[in-house]
Amino acid sequence: MNQKARFSAWGLFKRGLTRSHWPRVWDHHELRDSYDVVIVGGGVHGLATAYYLARNHGITNVAVVEKSYIGSGGSGRNTAIVRSNYLTPEGSKFYDRSVELYEHLAADLNFNVMFEQRGHMTLAHSDSSLRTMRWRAEVNKLQGIDSSVIGPEEIKSLAPFLDTSDHPRYPILGALWHPPGGIVRHDAVVWGYARAAAALGVHIHQGTELTGIEVESGRVAVAQTSRGDIATSTIVNCTAGWASLVAKMAGVRLPIITRPLQAAVTEPVRQFLHPVVVSGSLHTYVSQTARGELVFGASVDPFASYSTRGSLEFATGLATHVLELMPAISKMRMLRQWAGLCDMTPDFGPIIGPTPVDGFYVDVGWGTYGFKAGPVAGESVAEMVANGRPGSLIEPFGLERFHAGTLTAEKGAAAVGH
Amino acid sequence: MSRLSERPGEVIDRTRPMDFSWNGKPYRGYAGDSIASALAASGVRVFSRSFKYHRPRGILTASFHDPNLMVQVGDEPNVRAGHRLVEEKMEVSAQNAWPSLGFDAKGVNRLLGRFLTPGFYYKTFMSPRSLWPWYQRVLARFAAGGVVGVDPQPGRYDHRYAHPDVLVAGGGPAGMAAAIDAAEAGAAVILVEEEHRLGGHLRWGDSDDLGALEELSAAVLSHPGIEVMVDSVVTGRYDHNWVAIAQRGVEGVDERLVKARVKCLVVATGTIERPYVFEGNDLPGVMLSTAVRRLINLHAVRPGERAVVLSANGPGDSAIADLEEAGVEVAEVIDARGDDTVIKASGRMGVQGVIDSRGRRHDADLLVTAVGWTTTTTLLNMAGDRPMYEPRAARYLSKSLPYDVLATGGIVGDGSTDQLVQHGTAIGREAARRASVVKFQWLTAVPTGVTRQPPDTSEIEVPPLEAERHPELFRSSTHGFVDYSEDVTSKDLFAAAAEGYDSMELAKRYTTVNMGPIQGKLEAVNAVAIHGEATGSSPLETSTTTWRPPYAPVSLGVLAGRQYEPVRYSVIQPWHERREAKPLVAGSWIRPEHYGDPVAEVTAVREAVGIIDVSPLGKIDLRGRDVPKLLEFVYVNKWSKLDVGKVRYGIMCNEDGVIFDDGVTGRLGADQYMMSSTSGGAAGVWNWLDDWLQTGFPDWDVKMTAVTDGYASINVAGPNSRELVGRLTEIDLRPEAFGYMEVRTGVVAGVPGCFLWRIGFTGELSYEIHVPSAYGLWVWERLLEKGEDLGVRAFGIEAQRIMRLEKGHFIVGQDTDGLTQGHGMGVDWAIKLDKPDFAGKPELMWQAERDDYRRLAAIQTEDPAIVPPEASQIVAGDVIKGRITSSRMSPTLGRSICLGQVDPDLAAPGSRLHIRLSDGVTVAARVLEHHAHFDPEGTRLRG
């Protein structure tokens, strides 16, 4: 990116004085006849993959094809929580790298992704969940991850609005406290990667839908799109919600069930909730954005669907659960509700790796936690595409595990702990 | 601004003054005044400061959807002052201003405006990284909105279900007419109106309008078939016409959520007047024509002294007449139907002058704009409609609706009151007819001998309601505010497009236009039009905006309703309470953890006899020919040859082979079985069985009934248990008549319909008695009474946990986790891989071929006094080799005992382990030969 286009306070000041516009963050391009790599899906995974391909491996003849606008899928619909206090050593290691990347992302991309490490608190309402919290804390400590179990008093001092009084049903007995966790501006992550990738020569094609994949003697040959065919030897499926449909175009069957996950946001109020608060038993997570809105999420809906509409049941259930945690906010108003699509695999682990079709890679099945893994997934997938084989961090997540019985699974922690 | 003499349509009651405070100072209004109208009548002009630039803001729409009238009322943030009625002693204050509305320190941002371009925060605050937390704190201070207190007055909320034939959203002339005629046709109707009174725009109209209003509202209010809800809003239309209404003004509660399954929904939500974008368009004193007409005609408030009016339509022209009548000098009328327009409004804390497109400056303190209407299509969008922009009328119009949704009124077109009423009337009749069709379709069964008349299938003819021609007016030649709540200007939209955020969705996310509390109702159309201007496209014609629920922001309190998270107690709870049992939360159940001395409770069971209330155990009554097939499928072990009177232990695995529940199932009769599950797993097991029966095996003859609450369950355990139970029942308890793992039915303590099974979680001889729940407490007390001489004692969960740990029985969810597949628990004997199929079989077959999974092991520390806390990690150096899943001090053995999961290389009996305690100290321990620390042969149990 040339110096003129670099974002800085000085640049803002100069352009303010001269009232001139910033240059475009990414350009429109004609679709080339061929690309070295075609990435399907302009979300954080696809764009991060494109960026790391260009930056780390010098592969710049890359197209990202996105059927709508960038960040229109899961990347723009999640609740933007980042953390690394996972239950298994493999999971912790993977997400710890993601947190590390997030911490340096603003400087790396020259785009402030507003990563606010407000701390991440997972509440325990029962003996058994307290035991799980202790387990996670012990595993995390051994991995060098900042994570500990705290009691109601400390919880109250970190989040005074939580009702730590003696509840009959959902008493707050303790919490897993993870200071490096926090929230990030999800759109900024998408745009930051897009801008940085575009500056390195990657073509971002919005409004360009993949319609088919031509496979010739077991190898990827052509990516067919709504704007024309692209000859390519490498296609990376970085979609969510439609991952199994895209894979089917290459004749690859993925063990994925797509389920909606609903979320909602309130009107803004002055800041009162600093950390991210999660309650597994109440299937709820809450954070307050810098703008003052509360962002709520839940667990996935218990049925398969491609619908991104919100339901009344979700809204009422969510409100009940949130008020159970913070009865003082009953007069706040819900402003918007929506749903995103989650591709669930049998073991809740993602599927990253090559497929039986040469040159067709997948980075899919991210369930409910794809956003927080975006940077590290992009980095690892780029490395895999460049080297032709997966690196050690993502090795356990290959597609073949479903045929070999070596499930990885983060089910315990990933299922509800966001 | 000041109060006028009486107006014909005014809604204020001048005999009932209301004293309230605004920013700590006393003010007076009248009953019927909105907060805004009461303040405006007292001369208040500035109501808020804007979010980003802290610009002074005044009345814009004077309605619920006024972005500038968000105030704090007591402990309630973001109250719509244009809508909420003023009340006696109400404490109202401005949001977003410090130290005062008149002088706001953050107003300095106005001067910085040129540097605070859209997304400025994405471009700075990046280095040095160490300063970022400080920037965060500064940015957080600029969050908009009101304040929530830690301990506010709790609101009172409720839910109600309704099943109307027809629900009409919107109580304007068309909506009222639809309601009347639907009710006349026999439909049960609910009419919902967002404002405090019916009438829509008729309320601020002329004498003809007021006459029509009188007539229509009298007909509505007196009709027995219509339930009217005012000050209520339809917040959403969900799938299958599931409609949510947030209702206010119900006695006894602050708000109520009405959930209505509607047979036919009539959307008559009308239009909202659209602001105009030009320089200074957000100054206090720039108002929409509807705001001015509301203030004058409903609240008798003179909105200014000297006005300029920009009008492009008839209602705008009517505002001129209203202004003149209210004694406002109309300095200039600019007819926007021609080439003239407004270029700029100037002033500091409010409008002082207006410059028109001919370059003339007019002194004025009021600028009224009437430049067009936005249809409120949210409910239509939610019904699957994709309203299309109609350039001729400069607004979106409905395109296609499902059968059970109809639209009438301004959302469809324009017309005289008569035309609107005629349209509404026809839609009302059609709605009633369609409701009857839907009702007929819903009735799947009719009593024998009753013949039902099929409903009339001929559609009622609806007269046309054309949308009038209207000029497209979005922005003047200058830049101004598009989104007032988010402080987004047209210049920002141009900047976003130039930077590459050139689709509307990206521009929206980048500039945050439409994202504020007004939800785009005022600004969305302008934003799309101006974005089109900036990108040289015509997105209005091609785009359809997605309106997401809710239609209007809705309180969390009313969504939740009464806080009702049910807590479950056993029927024996009164006894537990009398004995001051320590409560333990176990899922939705509250259970006795112990009665003061768990160690003594253990000793009583081991040496004499104890009873424990295990009522929360999941119990499912299974009947039918194919129950054995179901058991064979959901359990990993064999079930085909379970004789009547026998009980068997079973383990259930998910499809991934992970253990998710265990329990015993007994065969009570030829085709009758009773399945038990863990307490916490009861609902999950039920869902699991139901799922398989519905999706996998719909042909199987299996009937399931959940009877967890139907039986109280009491486990009688200990060497004296046979003697004790024998004193209460005629059932033959001799070991040869009622062996281990058998079930009997019969009478216990005079209570018929009980069943007993002989199993033993504690490791002692024990009988689990399941009693019809009404008699649970009775049987419990009889056991204690009859067993007094046998040393009977009640024991709680803690004692049970200690004893099961002594016996090495695992608890699913504690000693297993989300990764624990069947073979890891040392129950290989139970997993029958030679069965043709069962849930989890492929995964368990894979597991059986491997040797890399953790095993459950009984573990004892070398120092018998150290009890490693549960979740302590078993380590080799820094490498995790397993963990302690259960640990206790055993009163029976007088030493610490554990269960744990360990890596295979450490699972062999005698292996030496290192357990890392939470303080970092490591202690040594050994793996035992059996899971049981105590009586591994089970002689006590089988005795």
Side-chain angles (χ1 to χ4, degrees), chain A residues 7-9 12-13 16-17 19 21-26 28 69-71 76-77 88-89 103-104 106-107 110-112 114-118 125-127 131 134-135 138-139 141-143 156 160-161 168-171 185-188 191 206 266-272 282 290-293 296 309-313 315-316 319-324 328-338 346-347 401-412, chain B residues 51 70 75-80 84 96 106 114-115 117 120-126 129 132 136 139-141 143-153 155 157 159 238-239 242 244 257 259 382 486 491 494-495 497-503 505-506 509-510 512 514-517 519 548-550 553-557 559-560 563 565-567 584-585 587-588 590 654 656 801 814 817-819 843 846 850 870-871 873 875 878 880 883 885 916 918:
Chain A
F7 291 154
S8 66
L12 271 174
F13 179 67
L17 282 184
R19 295 191 188 270
H21 287 312
W22 289 88
R24 288 184 62 94
V25 274
W26 47 78
H28 293 293
Y69 59 95
I70 56 170
R77 295 169 180 275
T88 61
E103 282 173 343
H104 297 92
N110 179 235
F111 201 110
N112 193 347
M114 320 277 283
F115 182 26
E116 300 189 36
Q117 293 182 292
R118 292 162 160 243
H125 303 289
S126 68
D127 280 3
R131 194 179 307 115
R134 275 197 224 107
W135 175 16
E138 293 299 325
V139 171
K141 268 190 242 168
L142 281 161
Q143 305 291 316
K156 191 80 184 168
F161 273 72
R169 181 67 181 88
Y170 293 106
R185 266 289 289 163
H186 52 5
D187 290 333
W191 300 334
Q206 302 186 68
T266 66
E267 292 179 354
V269 294
R270 311 297 288 182
Q271 294 290 329
F272 70 89
L282 287 163
R291 290 160 45 81
E293 304 146 326
F296 304 121
R309 278 181 297 192
S311 71
L312 181 60
E313 289 65 30
T316 54
T320 307
H321 292 160
V322 166
L323 294 183
E324 192 73 37
I329 64 167
S330 65
K331 288 168 186 168
M332 286 187 73
R333 294 182 190 83
M334 190 181 88
L335 183 61
R336 248 191 327 275
Q337 63 172 128
W338 67 92
D347 63 358
R401 73 178 187 273
F402 299 103
H403 308 285
T406 51
L407 300 190
T408 65
E410 253 294 337
K411 227 172 189 171
Chain B
F51 160 55
M70 307 264 274
D75 58 18
E76 185 176 357
N78 301 355
V79 172
R80 272 61 174 176
R84 182 70 60 85
N96 231 15
K106 290 178 196 154
R114 59 164 63 182
F115 308 111
T117 45
F120 72 93
Y121 32 80
Y122 299 135
K123 299 186 179 107
T124 181
F125 308 139
M126 281 179 280
R129 211 169 78 84
W132 169 231
Q136 282 177 47
L139 284 174
R141 294 239 172 104
V147 181
V148 289
V150 179
D151 296 305
Q153 288 291 313
Y157 306 97
H159 282 188
Y238 298 89
D239 290 352
W242 185 228
L257 185 74
K259 303 193 230 181
M382 289 181 73
E486 294 288 308
K491 201 185 271 181
F494 274 76
E499 284 184 42
Y501 302 92
D502 47 10
S503 67
E505 276 298 331
L506 285 179
R509 285 169 176 269
Y510 189 59
T512 72
N514 295 357
M515 308 257 276
Q519 303 167 298
R548 293 192 170 115
V554 52
S555 72
L556 296 176
L559 284 172
Q563 273 307 85
E565 280 289 336
V567 173
L584 174 83
V585 181
S588 56
I590 310 288
N654 284 319
D656 51 14
R801 283 179 179 170
Q814 172 163 349
D817 55 63
L819 306 175
E843 291 288 345
W846 279 323
R850 299 199 322 269
E870 289 167 356
Q873 299 295 298
V875 295
D878 272 346
I880 297 172
R883 73 174 195 286
T885 55
R916 194 176 186 274
S918 48

Side-chain angles (χ1 to χ4, degrees), chain B residues 462-493:
Chain B
V462 179
L465 195 62
E466 291 289 325
E468 279 170 13
R469 187 175 285 281
H470 197 287
E472 294 182 273
L473 295 165
F474 309 112
R475 185 175 80 89
S476 178
S477 55
T478 48
H479 284 293
F481 283 87
V482 178
D483 186 332
Y484 295 76
S485 16
E486 294 288 308
D487 258 6
V488 180
T489 64
S490 49
K491 201 185 271 181
D492 293 338
L493 290 171

Side-chain angles (χ1 to χ4, degrees), chain B residues 182-396:
Chain B
E184 280 295 301
V189 179
I190 292 179
L191 173 62
V192 184
E193 168 54 45
E194 183 177 42
E195 309 232 358
H196 295 86
R197 284 164 189 253
L198 296 172
H201 68 272
L202 295 181
R203 291 172 303 153
W204 53 79
D206 58 19
S207 55
D208 288 349
D209 290 341
L210 291 175
L213 166 59
E214 181 76 14
E215 210 172 294
L216 283 165
S217 66
V220 167
L221 296 171
S222 63
H223 202 295
I226 306 175
E227 180 181 357
V228 178
M229 299 180 185
V230 291
D231 193 10
S232 303
V233 60
V234 177
T235 62
R237 184 271 182 194
Y238 298 89
D239 290 352
H240 312 293
N241 259 1
W242 185 228
V243 174
I245 305 154
Q247 186 185 16
R248 294 180 65 94
V250 183
E251 207 165 323
V253 291
D254 296 328
E255 284 182 283
R256 178 161 76 178
L257 185 74
V258 181
K259 303 193 230 181
R261 183 73 71 190
V262 179
K263 295 181 195 79
C264 189
L265 172 67
V266 176
V267 182
T269 47
T271 59
I272 287 181
E273 193 168 20
R274 200 152 61 218
Y276 190 49
V277 180
F278 56 92
E279 190 178 345
N281 68 337
D282 68 324
L283 279 172
V286 178
M287 295 187 200
L288 306 185
S289 73
T290 42
V292 164
R293 300 188 72 196
R294 281 166 182 267
L295 286 173
I296 296 172
N297 296 324
L298 300 183
H299 302 295
V301 173
R302 180 183 294 118
E305 300 303 324
R306 199 175 140 87
V308 173
V309 181
L310 173 73
S311 174
N313 50 45
D317 299 341
S318 303
I320 300 166
D322 287 342
L323 285 166
E324 282 169 343
E325 223 177 294
V328 180
E329 182 190 344
V330 178
E332 182 71 25
V333 174
I334 303 169
D335 193 333
R337 282 158 286 208
D339 295 330
D340 293 337
T341 189
V342 165
I343 300 294
K344 180 180 177 180
S346 57
R348 211 180 64 81
M349 292 298 286
V351 175
Q352 288 168 319
V354 176
I355 297 169
D356 67 20
S357 51
R358 298 181 189 198
R360 296 177 303 176
R361 184 180 190 281
H362 311 279
D363 280 339
D365 63 348
L366 179 63
L367 169 58
V368 180
T369 68
V371 298
W373 313 96
T374 297
T375 35
T376 51
T377 60
T378 310
L379 296 176
L380 302 183
N381 280 82
M382 289 181 73
D385 191 10
R386 292 299 197 127
M388 292 297 291
Y389 180 73
E390 171 56 57
R392 208 181 57 83
R395 68 189 207 235
Y396 283 89

Side-chain angles (χ1 to χ4, degrees), chain A residues 262-282:
Chain A
Q262 300 196 45
V265 64
T266 66
E267 292 179 354
V269 294
R270 311 297 288 182
Q271 294 290 329
F272 70 89
L273 178 68
H274 194 67
V276 178
V277 175
V278 179
S279 164
S281 316
L282 287 163

Side-chain angles (χ1 to χ4, degrees), chain A residues 52-126:
Chain A
Y52 291 113
L53 268 177
R55 196 196 74 170
N56 295 354
H57 307 283
I59 300 172
T60 57
N61 185 22
V62 175
V64 177
V65 296
E66 164 57 52
K67 72 171 178 178
S68 180
Y69 59 95
I70 56 170
S72 53
S75 296
R77 295 169 180 275
N78 66 86
T79 51
I81 295 170
V82 175
R83 68 180 176 93
S84 69
N85 55 349
Y86 280 76
L87 185 56
T88 61
E90 301 80 14
S92 300
K93 209 180 291 172
F94 187 78
Y95 288 99
D96 199 35
R97 174 66 185 152
S98 210
V99 168
E100 196 180 329
L101 285 170
Y102 267 120
E103 282 173 343
H104 297 92
L105 207 53
D108 189 12
L109 301 178
N110 179 235
F111 201 110
N112 193 347
V113 297
M114 320 277 283
F115 182 26
E116 300 189 36
Q117 293 182 292
R118 292 162 160 243
H120 183 281
M121 184 189 283
T122 313
L123 302 174
H125 303 289
S126 68

